[in-house]
Amino acid sequence: MEIEAPVVADGPALHRITRDSGVLDVNSPYAYLLWCRDFAHTSAVARTDDGVVGFVTGYIRPDAPDAVVVWQIAVDASQRGGGVARQLLSHLVDRVQPRGVRYLETTITPDNTASIGLFSALAESRGTGIERSELFTADLFPDAHLGEDLYRIGPFPAAGP
């Protein structure tokens, strides 16, 4: 398996993996094409001979250039449980640290124990802290969506020269 920046042609696979997850909010196919084009430097795909088997999408916060926000992370059902998500997050942090990123932020619903565990493990493996705070309450969503808590991991050490 290789982990690398996505290319536009990976957009349909990201959409498929998200749709098939059964738990993530599915964006339009067009949105995944844009992610692969405009945010490739802050996103990654896990690729095998069978194609894309996992991804993480993220962006640098415009008002906090020392923070990368993870928008979505998902792994194809055929690869779950093999550490792919952990490898994707680690790869992403390694790629953005030289850009001055010292924090990773993401939002997670309180019932998503798998994601809470994944991001907590990232903080532990990097020897840094993790903070949780309420960000988007359920009443802000137009459907039966749970609230989203903000998880902030860091600080990561400053990248060397």
Side-chain angles (χ1 to χ4, degrees):
M1 181 177 63
E2 292 187 26
I3 298 179
E4 58 194 10
V7 296
V8 171
D10 294 329
L14 274 61
H15 181 265
R16 175 190 54 78
I17 292 168
T18 303
R19 180 197 65 217
D20 293 352
S21 76
V23 295
L24 290 175
D25 291 334
V26 181
N27 298 292
S28 74
Y30 181 73
Y32 293 98
L33 295 172
L34 287 175
W35 275 107
C36 290
R37 185 191 80 160
D38 295 343
F39 299 103
H41 65 285
T42 52
S43 300
V45 295
R47 194 183 307 280
T48 67
D49 291 339
D50 295 327
V52 175
V53 296
F55 73 89
V56 59
T57 53
Y59 62 91
I60 304 291
R61 282 189 51 200
D63 62 340
D66 66 343
V68 63
V69 175
V70 169
W71 178 261
Q72 287 186 315
I73 185 166
V75 175
D76 186 82
S78 69
Q79 301 291 317
R80 288 192 195 130
V84 176
R86 179 185 46 78
Q87 292 176 61
L88 283 162
L89 283 179
S90 186
H91 174 89
L92 178 62
V93 170
D94 290 343
R95 278 196 21 229
V96 298
Q97 272 185 282
R99 296 171 170 251
V101 170
R102 309 237 6 250
Y103 295 91
L104 182 146
E105 296 182 347
T106 195
T107 63
I108 306 173
T109 56
D111 65 340
N112 190 338
T113 56
S115 286
I116 294 168
L118 173 65
F119 286 94
S120 296
L122 174 69
E124 184 176 339
S125 72
R126 296 290 173 137
T128 193
I130 184 169
E131 298 175 1
R132 184 194 63 80
S133 60
E134 185 177 72
L135 184 62
F136 301 126
T137 56
D139 62 305
L140 295 173
F141 294 95
D143 53 13
H145 197 289
L146 293 175
E148 294 269 351
D149 292 332
L150 174 67
Y151 285 78
R152 183 171 166 91
I153 300 166
F156 304 118

